[in-house]
Amino acid sequence: MSHNTVEENQRRHQLDDDDRVWLFGYGSLIYLVDFPYLESRPASIRGWSRRFWQGSHDHRGTEENPGRVVTLIEEAGAVCGGVAYLVGAPVFKQLDLREKNGYLRVTAEMSFDDGTHATGLTYIATPDNAAYLGQASEYEIARHIRGAEGPSGPNDEYLLELARALRELGLHDQHVFDIEAHILRLGET
Ligand code: SIN
């Protein structure tokens, strides 16, 4: 079942139009940057792992056959690398629509490569949202992704683009790279 979070997100943070906010992106927000930003920097957040455990009914799948996309799962000691964007507050109106299928804006403490930090926002789909699919093996996730497609394109394109973007940033994510390896292997059979 899909889950629309637009109204809840707009209630959560009262932002003024001229506010500037750091946004931490760890999934498609790394490689599909269709919003204006003032500055971008590699960044990481502590205590969270990137996992393909969220269902996508509106971008990489459909109501009948949801795809799998990433969310952040709390994990003590984990560090998730991504990209931070300094954006004007009006950008969140656009992003709330893009991330509406279960993602909530959550305050995040991010660290930059030079050792400095900033408090900003990130979109997280928590396990209690209706579109959540949950844990599965990397092989099962790869098979699932290969069989899904939605209005934004094939689900495997999301995975492959994310893996490529992480490598370009010099980031290693075993979960993402294991799913990628399964997908590439399944493609050969
Ligand atoms: C993100 O990229 O930060 C959120 C999840 C997504 O849109 O893929």
Side-chain angles (χ1 to χ4, degrees):
M1 208 205 305
S2 63
H3 182 77
N4 191 325
T5 53
V6 169
E7 277 182 20
E8 183 166 349
N9 275 326
Q10 280 162 20
R11 267 197 311 271
R12 280 185 155 220
H13 303 103
Q14 300 296 326
L15 300 172
D16 289 330
D17 273 1
D18 48 6
D19 285 346
R20 291 173 173 197
V21 183
W22 281 102
L23 163 72
F24 178 74
Y26 57 89
S28 69
L29 292 176
I30 295 182
Y31 68 84
L32 186 63
V33 187
D34 60 357
F35 52 89
Y37 60 90
L38 302 152
E39 193 184 332
S40 81
R41 301 173 74 174
S44 61
I45 59 173
R46 190 167 280 280
W48 297 93
S49 290
R50 178 176 16 242
R51 292 287 180 260
F52 270 86
W53 292 1
Q54 173 65 6
S56 176
H57 302 72
D58 55 346
H59 284 297
R60 301 293 179 163
T62 59
E63 286 287 334
E64 300 72 39
N65 187 29
R68 272 187 181 261
V69 290
V70 287
T71 184
L72 293 177
I73 302 295
E74 273 190 281
E75 188 183 337
V79 176
C80 178
V83 177
Y85 305 90
L86 185 62
V87 299
V91 165
F92 286 98
K93 291 198 184 85
Q94 177 186 338
L95 291 177
D96 287 350
L97 280 176
R98 172 168 160 176
E99 304 295 327
K100 69 181 185 316
N101 194 29
Y103 292 87
L104 292 173
R105 287 191 222 147
V106 175
T107 303
E109 215 31 71
M110 54 201 94
S111 307
F112 302 121
D113 287 355
D114 62 4
T116 59
H117 307 274
T119 303
L121 296 176
T122 189
Y123 284 91
I124 297 183
T126 52
D128 56 359
N129 86 87
Y132 190 74
L133 292 175
Q135 187 166 9
S137 72
E138 276 80 8
Y139 177 69
E140 283 169 312
I141 292 175
R143 282 177 50 97
H144 184 139
I145 286 175
R146 264 177 54 87
E149 175 157 11
S152 299
N155 201 175
D156 62 356
E157 181 183 70
Y158 177 108
L159 177 284
L160 295 171
E161 283 291 294
L162 177 58
R164 182 193 55 73
L166 292 175
R167 271 195 199 93
E168 255 176 45
L169 287 164
L171 294 171
H172 185 86
D173 187 317
Q174 197 63 50
H175 172 73
V176 175
F177 293 165
D178 282 353
I179 297 169
E180 180 195 36
H182 284 304
I183 284 193
L184 295 175
R185 223 170 289 136
L186 286 165
E188 288 165 3
T189 55

